[in-house]
Amino acid sequence: PDIQVKREVKGSKVFYHVDSTSADFQIKDLQVLFDKKTLAQMSYVDEVDNRTTLNFSKINFSKKADSKKFSYTPPAGAKVTEL
């Protein structure tokens, strides 16, 4: 896909804006924010114009994650968008 990445620095924050002009690319607008070299936020607009924003805080890379916390089953009949 035709992808363009723009980088913007504001103090300790670095923003990445990813845009695609390809119809095959399902994400229209992707924005990623790092604060002091740590992922702080990710936001995107999908093919049906829904904006999803994920905010990250209290990140601890030295602690092992519990795999049970990352299990999700969508409700019956829900439309699932594959990324």
Side-chain angles (χ1 to χ4, degrees), residues 13-25:
K13 297 180 181 184
V14 180
F15 298 85
Y16 290 93
H17 305 274
V18 182
D19 292 309
S20 174
T21 56
S22 172
D24 296 330
F25 200 61

Side-chain angles (χ1 to χ4, degrees):
D2 261 338
I3 297 174
Q4 182 179 18
V5 178
K6 295 178 186 173
R7 182 176 184 260
E8 182 180 352
V9 179
K10 292 182 180 177
S12 67
K13 297 180 181 184
V14 180
F15 298 85
Y16 290 93
H17 305 274
V18 182
D19 292 309
S20 174
T21 56
S22 172
D24 296 330
F25 200 61
Q26 294 180 345
I27 296 175
K28 295 180 181 178
D29 177 38
L30 172 65
Q31 299 178 18
V32 181
L33 165 63
F34 288 87
D35 189 4
K36 299 177 185 169
K37 298 184 180 182
T38 301
L39 179 62
Q41 184 181 79
M42 184 172 68
S43 177
Y44 66 90
V45 176
D46 65 21
E47 73 275 10
V48 292
D49 289 331
N50 293 312
R51 176 168 294 278
T52 301
T53 301
L54 305 168
N55 292 302
F56 302 95
S57 63
K58 300 180 184 177
I59 297 172
N60 182 347
F61 291 107
S62 63
K63 186 176 179 183
K64 187 175 179 178
D66 180 1
S67 63
K68 293 179 184 176
K69 291 184 178 182
F70 296 98
S71 177
Y72 175 73
T73 303
K79 180 182 177 190
V80 177
T81 301
E82 296 292 333
L83 300 179

